[in-house]
Amino acid sequence: MRCAPLFSTVNTNQMTSSRNSVLLTNCSQILTLRGPAPRRGRALADLGIIKDGALVINNGRIAAVGPRRRIERLPESRRARKFDVRGGVVLPGFVDSHTHLIHATSRAAEYEMRISGATYEEIAHAGGGILNSVRKLRGAPADQLKKHALAHLKQFAAHGTTTVEAKSGYGLDWPSEHKILSLLNEINREQPLEIVPTFLGAHVVPSEFRNRSGKTADAYVDLICRKWLPRVAAENLAEFCDVFCDRGAFSVVQARKIFSAARACGLGLRIHAEQLARTGAARLAVQMHASSADHLEKISASDIHALAKSNVTCTMLPGCCFHLGLPHYGPARQLIDAGAIVALATDFNPGTSPTLSMPMIVSLACTQMRMTPAEAIAATTINAAYSLGRGDRAGSLEVGKFADLAVFDVADYREIPYYFGVNHCSFTMKCGRIIYSRQRS
Ligand code: NIG
Ligand code: FE
C-alpha cells in the first residue's frame, strides 16, 4: 500500500523528523479494535481497549501497542521520538466508506426548499437534485473541482478520517465521469489520505436519455455496460462499481445487468439500496455478493435476515435522514442483533448529507439508531475497512498494520459522540505521519 505525501500546508514540526520511530504515550485509552474482522453481533462492541496505554510506530507501521509501563520499557521506545498525548483517546483513523467527494458546489437552495416543504424526490422531479449537481459539474474545470476536493479532504483529516471511498456519478457522460475518476486517482497520489475510487455512472439517468426517441434508460444502461465499464477497468480508474437502485433511479433488473458487467471487468460491487422505497436492491446485493449495501432505510424483516446471513456489509448513512429531516433512520439495531456486518459512513454529498464529520455520524448512530458508542466506533473503523477490502491493513491498531490513527482530546471514547457537533480531534496520523494537528494551548 502507498504511503502518500503530506498536505502541502500541514505543520510538520512535531513528528515528521528523520527519526523513523515514534512513541505515542500517556493515552487514557487506546481503542485497538484488535481481533478478527469483520465484526458481527456482540463482537461489534469489543473495542480491545488498553487503559493508560502507549504505542510505538516504526516506518509508518505499528511496532508495539500495550500498557504504558510495558511499552515505555521496550528498547525501541527509548530510541523513538516521544509524543505525549496528554491523556487523550487514541483510535484507528476513521474509514469513510461512502462519499461523493467530487462535486462542484453546495445545493443550499434545495435545502431551504425542503425546509419549506418540498421533498427530496419532488425537487429531483423538477430537474433539481442529482441532475442539478450534474449540470454544475459538467461545466466546472478540473482544477476547480480539485481545489474543492483538497479542501474537503483537509476537513476529513481534521475530523480523524484517514481513508475515504469516493464515487463518481455527477458526470453521467463519459468525459465528465472520466474527469472525476481521473481526479480521484490524481488526488490519491498527491495528498495523504487514501482515496478508494468507485464508478457510479448509474447514479440517475442523465437528461439526454430521458424522453428522447431511441434514447432510453435501458440504452444508458447498455452504454455503461458495453463501453464505460470496460474503459474504467482498462484504465484502472476505479476499484468498485456502484448503482443507485431505487425509485426514480435504476431498477433491480438494470442494476443486475450493470453488476454482471462490472464483475466481468473485475470490479467490486456496492449499491445504494432501499433508501426511498423497497425495491429488492438489498436482495440483489446478497445474490451478487456485493461488498456493501448502503442506506437500507426501507428494508423489511426478511431482508434483515438475508443480509445477516450474508457477507454484505450493511452501511448505514444516518447523515442523510438527519439532513433531510426524516423521522425513520435505518434499522441498524435490528441488523446488528440479527448478526449482520454493520458499517457507518458520512455519504458526504451536496444533496442529502453535506457532512464529512465521522464523529457527528457516530453521534447520530447512537442517539437515532440506538447503536452504542462502542458499536459505532467499530462500524466506522474496522467494519468499514473490511467493506473496502482493507480489513487487513486499516481499521485497527495492531502490530504490523499501518499507523493510521486519530487522537481525540477526551478522557473516555464515549465522549466523542457525547459532545455532538463538536470536533475534539487533536491530531490525525496517516502511515505514522501527522496529517492534521490542532494548535495546542
Ligand atoms: O447517497 N441516493 C443517491 N445518492 C446520494 C444523493 C446524491 C444527491 O442528492 O446529490 C445519496 O444520498
Ligand atoms: Fe450516496
Side-chain angles (χ1 to χ4, degrees), residues 98 100 107 120 130 170 203 244 272 275 295 347 349 351-352:
H98 183 141
H100 303 252
R107 301 212 305 264
Y120 177 70
I130 294 169
Y170 290 128
H203 201 179
F244 182 17
H272 283 68
Q275 178 190 17
H295 283 291
D347 192 11
N349 79 76
T352 63

Side-chain angles (χ1 to χ4, degrees), residues 2 17 60 63 69 186 210 219 263 270 305 316 413 441:
R2 75 208 253 296
S17 75
R69 284 170 196 283
E186 192 177 314
R210 293 173 185 227
R263 159 115 17 95
R270 318 184 80 75
H305 185 68
M316 315 307 290
Y413 74 89
S441 47

Side-chain angles (χ1 to χ4, degrees), residues 235-262:
E235 290 187 42
N236 211 5
L237 289 171
E239 279 185 42
F240 293 95
C241 171
D242 195 335
V243 177
F244 182 17
C245 179
D246 214 321
R247 186 167 69 198
F250 294 90
S251 69
V252 170
V253 172
Q254 291 168 334
R256 188 189 302 278
K257 203 170 162 203
I258 293 167
F259 272 2
S260 302

